[in-house]
Amino acid sequence: MKPAAFTYHRARSVSGAVGLLAELGDDAKVIAGGQSLVAMMNFRLARPEHLIDIARIPGLDTIVREGDALRVGALVTHHAVETADLGPDFRVLSEAMRWVGHLPIRTRGTVGGSIAHADATAEWCLLAVLLDARIVVEGPAGRRSIPAEEFFQGVFTTALEPDELIVEVEFPRPAPRATLTEFAERQGDFAIVAAAVDPDAPRVVLGGVAQVPLRVPAAEAVLAAGVAVAEVGEAAAAAIDVRDEPGASAHYRRALTRTLVTRACEEARTR
Ligand SMILES: Cc1cc2nc3c(=O)[nH]c(=O)nc-3n(C[C@H](O)[C@H](O)[C@H](O)COP(=O)(O)OP(=O)(O)OC[C@H]3O[C@@H](n4cnc5c(N)ncnc54)[C@H](O)[C@@H]3O)c2cc1C
């Protein structure tokens, strides 16, 4: 299917894009890599009358190390992160990108688009919660920075206002032992369950088991106690509240959670 008709606008600056969003209101949508939005438009799940293309706004495609922090521009692609040398402190970001779709998707899809789209199994959403990221957004009133845990609010729902643009994602602290692993039916599919662990925080975050990337405090407490990693997996599996769904029963998701959290902890321990 083809999308419904729309008017195309190319934004040349962040303020230009924000101005267009404010002027065009609910009828407008930003497009970055188009890897989620175009599919939604083709299926008529989204019918924006105006598309504001931000792909050529200069300055939003850089990765900058600033002291302990890493600042990733909204237009940085998954593939750029996959192939960047981020050093041991942030290697989990590069490593996690191999789980995102296929190469053509990774070469076009962007960090900002993934965070704005807010799929609860998306790797960027898990990584943002895992590493205490702050989502930096700009609107008509200027810039603000939103902690990832507050940013994701429900199924495809975020704290982003309709006239705001994500400009960058700030990862404030090194996470040299953090890991992310997942299971999907076919390579390139979204995960059925994904697990991310940072033993130094300590932090355990799950995708695919709730409407948002889910922190599991019970498993984090077990992780902090330094006991056998299988007990962390067991604690995570016991803590989640999952229902049977087409394609994946609650029992299956719980078993995947147990296995993947244990595996992520084992990988982290080898670092
Ligand atoms: C077959 C397939 C498999 C995939 N598998 C995975 C996967 O395994 N894991 C995964 O994480 N993703 C997966 N994706 C999605 C992919 O990662 C997308 O790139 C990503 O979700 C959206 O990024 P984008 O730049 O393409 O955003 P777009 O599609 O352009 O936009 C997505 C949404 O974000 C908004 N938006 C975009 N940029 C901004 C911004 N800077 N500020 C505010 N709003 C913005 C848009 O208005 C739109 O609502 C898959 C996609 C496909 C087609």
Side-chain angles (χ1 to χ4, degrees):
M1 250 169 100
K2 298 280 181 234
F6 57 85
T7 306
Y8 176 88
H9 308 259
R10 181 178 287 290
R12 308 270 172 204
S13 63
V14 171
S15 59
V18 169
L20 280 168
L21 281 171
E23 180 193 325
L24 300 169
D26 290 345
D27 295 332
K29 242 182 166 356
V30 159
I31 185 162
Q35 297 304 295
S36 295
L37 183 57
V38 170
M40 291 180 72
M41 289 171 66
N42 287 347
F43 283 111
R44 309 285 167 113
L45 296 170
R47 299 179 72 133
E49 285 180 21
H50 299 271
L51 271 193
I52 304 169
D53 187 347
I54 61 169
R56 291 201 203 153
I57 295 179
L60 295 187
D61 60 351
T62 56
I63 304 176
V64 179
R65 181 76 193 248
E66 242 178 47
D68 273 351
L70 191 76
R71 309 174 79 90
V72 183
L75 289 178
V76 172
T77 62
H78 312 314
H79 185 60
V81 174
E82 184 177 20
T83 51
D85 179 6
L86 302 181
D89 286 351
F90 291 102
R91 64 180 168 181
V92 64
L93 301 180
S94 300
E95 289 169 356
M97 291 303 103
R98 75 188 164 96
W99 297 107
V100 179
H102 302 282
L103 183 61
I105 291 157
R106 297 201 291 272
T107 55
R108 295 201 68 87
T110 65
V111 177
S114 204
I115 297 272
H117 189 58
D119 189 306
T121 52
E123 289 75 10
W124 277 112
C125 301
L126 262 75
L127 291 165
V129 173
L130 182 76
L131 303 184
D132 291 316
R134 297 185 71 90
I135 318 302
V136 182
V137 307
E138 184 165 326
R143 286 198 178 192
R144 66 188 179 115
S145 159
I146 309 163
E149 272 194 85
E150 292 170 26
F151 187 81
F152 301 111
Q153 298 188 337
V155 184
F156 303 122
T157 308
T158 71
L160 192 69
E161 296 294 339
D163 55 3
E164 286 179 324
L165 193 72
I166 297 175
V167 290
E168 71 176 16
V169 181
E170 181 189 349
F171 295 90
R173 59 173 167 80
R177 294 201 297 153
T179 56
L180 182 149
T181 189
E182 62 184 53
F183 179 79
E185 274 185 328
R186 293 168 303 188
Q187 190 181 1
D189 281 3
F190 275 95
I192 297 175
V193 174
V197 167
D198 183 0
D200 300 314
R203 187 74 45 107
V204 176
V205 184
L206 297 173
V209 300
Q211 296 187 346
V212 294
L214 185 73
R215 270 189 72 184
V216 193
E220 291 171 1
V222 177
L223 182 61
V227 294
V229 291
E231 291 186 35
V232 186
E234 203 56 61
I240 57 173
D241 179 16
V242 275
R243 307 258 180 282
D244 289 341
E245 284 172 29
S249 67
H251 177 76
Y252 184 47
R253 266 179 224 274
R254 214 178 283 287
L256 279 178
T257 298
R258 183 182 298 111
T259 301
L260 292 169
V261 169
T262 304
R263 187 178 297 164
C265 290
E266 274 165 357
E267 281 177 24
R269 206 170 49 176
T270 63
R271 300 196 156 177

